[in-house]
Amino acid sequence: MSTAPRAEFEKKTLRDLEVAEGTAVLVRVDFNVPLEDGEVADDSRIRAALPTIEDLRGRGARLVLCSHLGRPKGPDPATSLAPVSRRLGELIGQRVHQAPEVVGPEVRRGVARLDPGEVLVLENTRWEPGETKNDPELARALAEPVDLFVDDAFGAVHRAHATTVGVAELLPSAAGFLLEREVTTLRGIVEDPERPFVVVLGGAKVTDKIALIERFLDLADVLLVGGAMCFAFFRSQGHTTGDSLVEEAGVALAGEALRKAEESDCRLLLPEDLVLGSAFEADAELRELDGVDVPEGWMGLDVGPKTAARYAEEVAKAGTVFWNGPMGAFELEPFAAGTRAVAEAVAAAPGTTVVGGGDSGAALVRFGLADRVTHLSTGGGASLELLEGKALPGVEALDDR
Ligand code: ADP
Ligand code: MG
């Protein structure tokens, strides 16, 4: 693994912000963590926000943190941020206060009582229906008790919500360290990649990733395709796909991408062998197929060992690797080998290695390889939209330098 080239960042960051002892700072964080039995099951997103939190505490700010968690449609104790507050308190070694609401009198009182260096966590922002509508009333209520706004929630900047865009327009604002690192690293690999630039794309649907495929056909030297997505490609080439997950809407798009690949300087590789299962189950009957014509009654659930070795070889030679989307149904252990092989190759690669969050990030964490890559993005959707070249409303809304 090597350090990534960084793109320029045109927005103010934490370093540009004047924070005096007692300044009240609202920080949008991405604490959308998995919960199990009322406890935080994976605290990586909380840890990822610590540099920003600790910097502001060190400067004597009074910190108000807000985040969504899950997709509640209103107040719902099962999605309370209280377990997150407890975990954050353990991580910073100081009690963290939990507000019972997102905005309102209790929040105002809570903010007023904060001492410099203390932290108050607001309730789940999705408890307020105005959040996803970017309601100006909600944005005003969020901005009212604080002086400054810092956005460190990379995972949410592709959405124009009250806690990303609305509040940024009302207060002096800046990006936190995590947001800055995510944006400059991801932009860096597409703007100025060390070559060869090898992209590994997998996952469920071609339609989710087609914009990325098209973009990387212009930018990358090698594009390695795996996951259920490859069956749309195989179908477009006339192969049989058996009971594999084929996205009908993706077949024509995949065919189009193959034609585009022929004209581009990018080599697009598809699997040459597969692991088949009789059903989408861990205890399904399993067989290897040397080739890609899937017979009736079987589904392709992983790439085969030849493909995995071939892809690993390309990754090892890369100056830059970007990986998004598992190579197979890795949640089922018998079908995890292809994804594991790619994950291990990415971890061992000497080049800059960036993984695009979502299920691929989860796979990396499960294989214990998360700290062996240059950058593991905390944002699934946001990282894809950035790489597709789309504007990120939550970044655009921050003050320019
Ligand atoms: P990411 O979140 O990394 O972008 P996706 O959400 O696109 O990835 O895809 C991940 C899902 O795709 C996983 O749940 C995995 O089980 C599924 N998947 C991958 N390959 C196959 C396959 N061959 N058959 C069925 N499902 C698959
Ligand atoms: Mg996913």
PDB file of all heavy atoms in Angstrom, residues 233-255:
ATOM      1  N   PHE A 233     -23.682  -9.228 -18.436  1.00  0.00           N
ATOM      2  CA  PHE A 233     -22.692  -9.218 -19.525  1.00  0.00           C
ATOM      3  C   PHE A 233     -22.755 -10.540 -20.294  1.00  0.00           C
ATOM      4  O   PHE A 233     -22.778 -10.558 -21.522  1.00  0.00           O
ATOM      5  CB  PHE A 233     -21.286  -8.999 -18.969  1.00  0.00           C
ATOM      6  CG  PHE A 233     -21.022  -7.579 -18.555  1.00  0.00           C
ATOM      7  CD1 PHE A 233     -21.372  -7.115 -17.291  1.00  0.00           C
ATOM      8  CD2 PHE A 233     -20.443  -6.680 -19.443  1.00  0.00           C
ATOM      9  CE1 PHE A 233     -21.145  -5.802 -16.923  1.00  0.00           C
ATOM     10  CE2 PHE A 233     -20.210  -5.363 -19.080  1.00  0.00           C
ATOM     11  CZ  PHE A 233     -20.561  -4.926 -17.819  1.00  0.00           C
ATOM     12  N   PHE A 234     -22.762 -11.656 -19.541  1.00  0.00           N
ATOM     13  CA  PHE A 234     -22.776 -12.971 -20.189  1.00  0.00           C
ATOM     14  C   PHE A 234     -24.047 -13.155 -21.018  1.00  0.00           C
ATOM     15  O   PHE A 234     -24.007 -13.679 -22.122  1.00  0.00           O
ATOM     16  CB  PHE A 234     -22.645 -14.088 -19.145  1.00  0.00           C
ATOM     17  CG  PHE A 234     -21.278 -14.147 -18.513  1.00  0.00           C
ATOM     18  CD1 PHE A 234     -21.112 -14.504 -17.178  1.00  0.00           C
ATOM     19  CD2 PHE A 234     -20.143 -13.864 -19.270  1.00  0.00           C
ATOM     20  CE1 PHE A 234     -19.846 -14.557 -16.602  1.00  0.00           C
ATOM     21  CE2 PHE A 234     -18.864 -13.911 -18.697  1.00  0.00           C
ATOM     22  CZ  PHE A 234     -18.729 -14.264 -17.359  1.00  0.00           C
ATOM     23  N   ARG A 235     -25.190 -12.717 -20.492  1.00  0.00           N
ATOM     24  CA  ARG A 235     -26.438 -12.835 -21.223  1.00  0.00           C
ATOM     25  C   ARG A 235     -26.338 -12.053 -22.544  1.00  0.00           C
ATOM     26  O   ARG A 235     -26.743 -12.536 -23.596  1.00  0.00           O
ATOM     27  CB  ARG A 235     -27.586 -12.314 -20.348  1.00  0.00           C
ATOM     28  CG  ARG A 235     -28.955 -12.300 -21.016  1.00  0.00           C
ATOM     29  CD  ARG A 235     -29.601 -13.672 -21.170  1.00  0.00           C
ATOM     30  NE  ARG A 235     -29.989 -14.286 -19.906  1.00  0.00           N
ATOM     31  CZ  ARG A 235     -31.081 -13.962 -19.193  1.00  0.00           C
ATOM     32  NH1 ARG A 235     -31.893 -13.022 -19.621  1.00  0.00           N
ATOM     33  NH2 ARG A 235     -31.344 -14.585 -18.074  1.00  0.00           N
ATOM     34  N   SER A 236     -25.741 -10.859 -22.458  1.00  0.00           N
ATOM     35  CA  SER A 236     -25.650 -10.039 -23.674  1.00  0.00           C
ATOM     36  C   SER A 236     -24.730 -10.682 -24.709  1.00  0.00           C
ATOM     37  O   SER A 236     -24.844 -10.423 -25.898  1.00  0.00           O
ATOM     38  CB  SER A 236     -25.177  -8.619 -23.339  1.00  0.00           C
ATOM     39  OG  SER A 236     -23.768  -8.587 -23.202  1.00  0.00           O
ATOM     40  N   GLN A 237     -23.828 -11.555 -24.226  1.00  0.00           N
ATOM     41  CA  GLN A 237     -22.929 -12.262 -25.164  1.00  0.00           C
ATOM     42  C   GLN A 237     -23.538 -13.578 -25.637  1.00  0.00           C
ATOM     43  O   GLN A 237     -22.918 -14.303 -26.409  1.00  0.00           O
ATOM     44  CB  GLN A 237     -21.595 -12.578 -24.458  1.00  0.00           C
ATOM     45  CG  GLN A 237     -20.759 -11.348 -24.153  1.00  0.00           C
ATOM     46  CD  GLN A 237     -19.498 -11.707 -23.377  1.00  0.00           C
ATOM     47  OE1 GLN A 237     -19.530 -12.548 -22.464  1.00  0.00           O
ATOM     48  NE2 GLN A 237     -18.382 -11.077 -23.733  1.00  0.00           N
ATOM     49  N   GLY A 238     -24.723 -13.919 -25.143  1.00  0.00           N
ATOM     50  CA  GLY A 238     -25.406 -15.128 -25.585  1.00  0.00           C
ATOM     51  C   GLY A 238     -25.107 -16.366 -24.756  1.00  0.00           C
ATOM     52  O   GLY A 238     -25.485 -17.472 -25.135  1.00  0.00           O
ATOM     53  N   HIS A 239     -24.415 -16.206 -23.626  1.00  0.00           N
ATOM     54  CA  HIS A 239     -24.172 -17.367 -22.751  1.00  0.00           C
ATOM     55  C   HIS A 239     -25.449 -17.734 -22.012  1.00  0.00           C
ATOM     56  O   HIS A 239     -26.308 -16.893 -21.791  1.00  0.00           O
ATOM     57  CB  HIS A 239     -23.090 -17.035 -21.707  1.00  0.00           C
ATOM     58  CG  HIS A 239     -21.723 -16.875 -22.289  1.00  0.00           C
ATOM     59  ND1 HIS A 239     -20.993 -17.934 -22.788  1.00  0.00           N
ATOM     60  CD2 HIS A 239     -20.955 -15.771 -22.460  1.00  0.00           C
ATOM     61  CE1 HIS A 239     -19.824 -17.491 -23.235  1.00  0.00           C
ATOM     62  NE2 HIS A 239     -19.784 -16.173 -23.043  1.00  0.00           N
ATOM     63  N   THR A 240     -25.535 -19.001 -21.596  1.00  0.00           N
ATOM     64  CA  THR A 240     -26.653 -19.383 -20.731  1.00  0.00           C
ATOM     65  C   THR A 240     -26.310 -18.973 -19.302  1.00  0.00           C
ATOM     66  O   THR A 240     -25.147 -19.019 -18.887  1.00  0.00           O
ATOM     67  CB  THR A 240     -26.909 -20.904 -20.771  1.00  0.00           C
ATOM     68  OG1 THR A 240     -25.718 -21.574 -20.339  1.00  0.00           O
ATOM     69  CG2 THR A 240     -27.274 -21.356 -22.184  1.00  0.00           C
ATOM     70  N   THR A 241     -27.335 -18.554 -18.539  1.00  0.00           N
ATOM     71  CA  THR A 241     -27.075 -18.056 -17.185  1.00  0.00           C
ATOM     72  C   THR A 241     -27.797 -18.888 -16.120  1.00  0.00           C
ATOM     73  O   THR A 241     -27.703 -18.584 -14.929  1.00  0.00           O
ATOM     74  CB  THR A 241     -27.501 -16.578 -17.065  1.00  0.00           C
ATOM     75  OG1 THR A 241     -28.835 -16.439 -17.560  1.00  0.00           O
ATOM     76  CG2 THR A 241     -26.579 -15.679 -17.883  1.00  0.00           C
ATOM     77  N   GLY A 242     -28.529 -19.955 -16.544  1.00  0.00           N
ATOM     78  CA  GLY A 242     -29.210 -20.826 -15.578  1.00  0.00           C
ATOM     79  C   GLY A 242     -30.108 -20.021 -14.662  1.00  0.00           C
ATOM     80  O   GLY A 242     -30.856 -19.155 -15.117  1.00  0.00           O
ATOM     81  N   ASP A 243     -30.008 -20.287 -13.346  1.00  0.00           N
ATOM     82  CA  ASP A 243     -30.827 -19.558 -12.375  1.00  0.00           C
ATOM     83  C   ASP A 243     -30.072 -18.383 -11.756  1.00  0.00           C
ATOM     84  O   ASP A 243     -30.493 -17.844 -10.731  1.00  0.00           O
ATOM     85  CB  ASP A 243     -31.270 -20.507 -11.245  1.00  0.00           C
ATOM     86  CG  ASP A 243     -32.144 -21.636 -11.771  1.00  0.00           C
ATOM     87  OD1 ASP A 243     -32.731 -21.458 -12.863  1.00  0.00           O
ATOM     88  OD2 ASP A 243     -32.228 -22.687 -11.099  1.00  0.00           O
ATOM     89  N   SER A 244     -28.960 -17.985 -12.345  1.00  0.00           N
ATOM     90  CA  SER A 244     -28.188 -16.866 -11.792  1.00  0.00           C
ATOM     91  C   SER A 244     -29.032 -15.604 -11.741  1.00  0.00           C
ATOM     92  O   SER A 244     -29.976 -15.446 -12.509  1.00  0.00           O
ATOM     93  CB  SER A 244     -26.964 -16.571 -12.670  1.00  0.00           C
ATOM     94  OG  SER A 244     -26.183 -17.718 -12.843  1.00  0.00           O
ATOM     95  N   LEU A 245     -28.642 -14.731 -10.835  1.00  0.00           N
ATOM     96  CA  LEU A 245     -29.317 -13.445 -10.710  1.00  0.00           C
ATOM     97  C   LEU A 245     -28.955 -12.597 -11.937  1.00  0.00           C
ATOM     98  O   LEU A 245     -27.830 -12.133 -12.068  1.00  0.00           O
ATOM     99  CB  LEU A 245     -28.810 -12.771  -9.431  1.00  0.00           C
ATOM    100  CG  LEU A 245     -29.475 -11.481  -8.983  1.00  0.00           C
ATOM    101  CD1 LEU A 245     -30.911 -11.745  -8.562  1.00  0.00           C
ATOM    102  CD2 LEU A 245     -28.707 -10.894  -7.796  1.00  0.00           C
ATOM    103  N   VAL A 246     -29.915 -12.440 -12.857  1.00  0.00           N
ATOM    104  CA  VAL A 246     -29.663 -11.614 -14.037  1.00  0.00           C
ATOM    105  C   VAL A 246     -30.596 -10.424 -13.994  1.00  0.00           C
ATOM    106  O   VAL A 246     -31.805 -10.576 -13.875  1.00  0.00           O
ATOM    107  CB  VAL A 246     -29.920 -12.377 -15.357  1.00  0.00           C
ATOM    108  CG1 VAL A 246     -29.546 -11.510 -16.552  1.00  0.00           C
ATOM    109  CG2 VAL A 246     -29.155 -13.676 -15.383  1.00  0.00           C
ATOM    110  N   GLU A 247     -30.015  -9.258 -14.092  1.00  0.00           N
ATOM    111  CA  GLU A 247     -30.837  -8.067 -14.079  1.00  0.00           C
ATOM    112  C   GLU A 247     -31.211  -7.751 -15.537  1.00  0.00           C
ATOM    113  O   GLU A 247     -30.373  -7.294 -16.307  1.00  0.00           O
ATOM    114  CB  GLU A 247     -30.014  -6.935 -13.458  1.00  0.00           C
ATOM    115  CG  GLU A 247     -30.819  -5.754 -13.084  1.00  0.00           C
ATOM    116  CD  GLU A 247     -29.921  -4.543 -12.839  1.00  0.00           C
ATOM    117  OE1 GLU A 247     -28.708  -4.613 -13.104  1.00  0.00           O
ATOM    118  OE2 GLU A 247     -30.456  -3.531 -12.406  1.00  0.00           O
ATOM    119  N   GLU A 248     -32.483  -8.009 -15.872  1.00  0.00           N
ATOM    120  CA  GLU A 248     -32.908  -7.851 -17.275  1.00  0.00           C
ATOM    121  C   GLU A 248     -32.604  -6.450 -17.799  1.00  0.00           C
ATOM    122  O   GLU A 248     -32.117  -6.286 -18.915  1.00  0.00           O
ATOM    123  CB  GLU A 248     -34.413  -8.140 -17.408  1.00  0.00           C
ATOM    124  CG  GLU A 248     -34.814  -9.583 -17.107  1.00  0.00           C
ATOM    125  CD  GLU A 248     -34.173 -10.607 -18.048  1.00  0.00           C
ATOM    126  OE1 GLU A 248     -33.792 -10.215 -19.182  1.00  0.00           O
ATOM    127  OE2 GLU A 248     -34.037 -11.784 -17.645  1.00  0.00           O
ATOM    128  N   ALA A 249     -32.888  -5.447 -16.956  1.00  0.00           N
ATOM    129  CA  ALA A 249     -32.689  -4.060 -17.392  1.00  0.00           C
ATOM    130  C   ALA A 249     -31.215  -3.757 -17.649  1.00  0.00           C
ATOM    131  O   ALA A 249     -30.881  -2.755 -18.284  1.00  0.00           O
ATOM    132  CB  ALA A 249     -33.243  -3.094 -16.351  1.00  0.00           C
ATOM    133  N   GLY A 250     -30.332  -4.625 -17.145  1.00  0.00           N
ATOM    134  CA  GLY A 250     -28.900  -4.363 -17.286  1.00  0.00           C
ATOM    135  C   GLY A 250     -28.274  -4.998 -18.517  1.00  0.00           C
ATOM    136  O   GLY A 250     -27.132  -4.677 -18.876  1.00  0.00           O
ATOM    137  N   VAL A 251     -29.012  -5.910 -19.174  1.00  0.00           N
ATOM    138  CA  VAL A 251     -28.408  -6.691 -20.261  1.00  0.00           C
ATOM    139  C   VAL A 251     -27.982  -5.798 -21.435  1.00  0.00           C
ATOM    140  O   VAL A 251     -26.847  -5.878 -21.917  1.00  0.00           O
ATOM    141  CB  VAL A 251     -29.370  -7.817 -20.724  1.00  0.00           C
ATOM    142  CG1 VAL A 251     -28.788  -8.561 -21.928  1.00  0.00           C
ATOM    143  CG2 VAL A 251     -29.633  -8.798 -19.573  1.00  0.00           C
ATOM    144  N   ALA A 252     -28.892  -4.922 -21.876  1.00  0.00           N
ATOM    145  CA  ALA A 252     -28.558  -4.029 -23.001  1.00  0.00           C
ATOM    146  C   ALA A 252     -27.431  -3.068 -22.615  1.00  0.00           C
ATOM    147  O   ALA A 252     -26.522  -2.796 -23.415  1.00  0.00           O
ATOM    148  CB  ALA A 252     -29.796  -3.250 -23.439  1.00  0.00           C
ATOM    149  N   LEU A 253     -27.484  -2.588 -21.355  1.00  0.00           N
ATOM    150  CA  LEU A 253     -26.434  -1.671 -20.881  1.00  0.00           C
ATOM    151  C   LEU A 253     -25.074  -2.366 -20.873  1.00  0.00           C
ATOM    152  O   LEU A 253     -24.054  -1.784 -21.258  1.00  0.00           O
ATOM    153  CB  LEU A 253     -26.754  -1.186 -19.459  1.00  0.00           C
ATOM    154  CG  LEU A 253     -27.986  -0.294 -19.299  1.00  0.00           C
ATOM    155  CD1 LEU A 253     -28.263  -0.041 -17.826  1.00  0.00           C
ATOM    156  CD2 LEU A 253     -27.784   1.031 -20.041  1.00  0.00           C
ATOM    157  N   ALA A 254     -25.076  -3.625 -20.438  1.00  0.00           N
ATOM    158  CA  ALA A 254     -23.826  -4.390 -20.393  1.00  0.00           C
ATOM    159  C   ALA A 254     -23.281  -4.581 -21.808  1.00  0.00           C
ATOM    160  O   ALA A 254     -22.073  -4.444 -22.046  1.00  0.00           O
ATOM    161  CB  ALA A 254     -24.058  -5.738 -19.709  1.00  0.00           C
ATOM    162  N   GLY A 255     -24.169  -4.900 -22.752  1.00  0.00           N
ATOM    163  CA  GLY A 255     -23.750  -5.078 -24.141  1.00  0.00           C
ATOM    164  C   GLY A 255     -23.129  -3.801 -24.690  1.00  0.00           C
ATOM    165  O   GLY A 255     -22.084  -3.821 -25.363  1.00  0.00           O
TER     166      GLY A 255
END
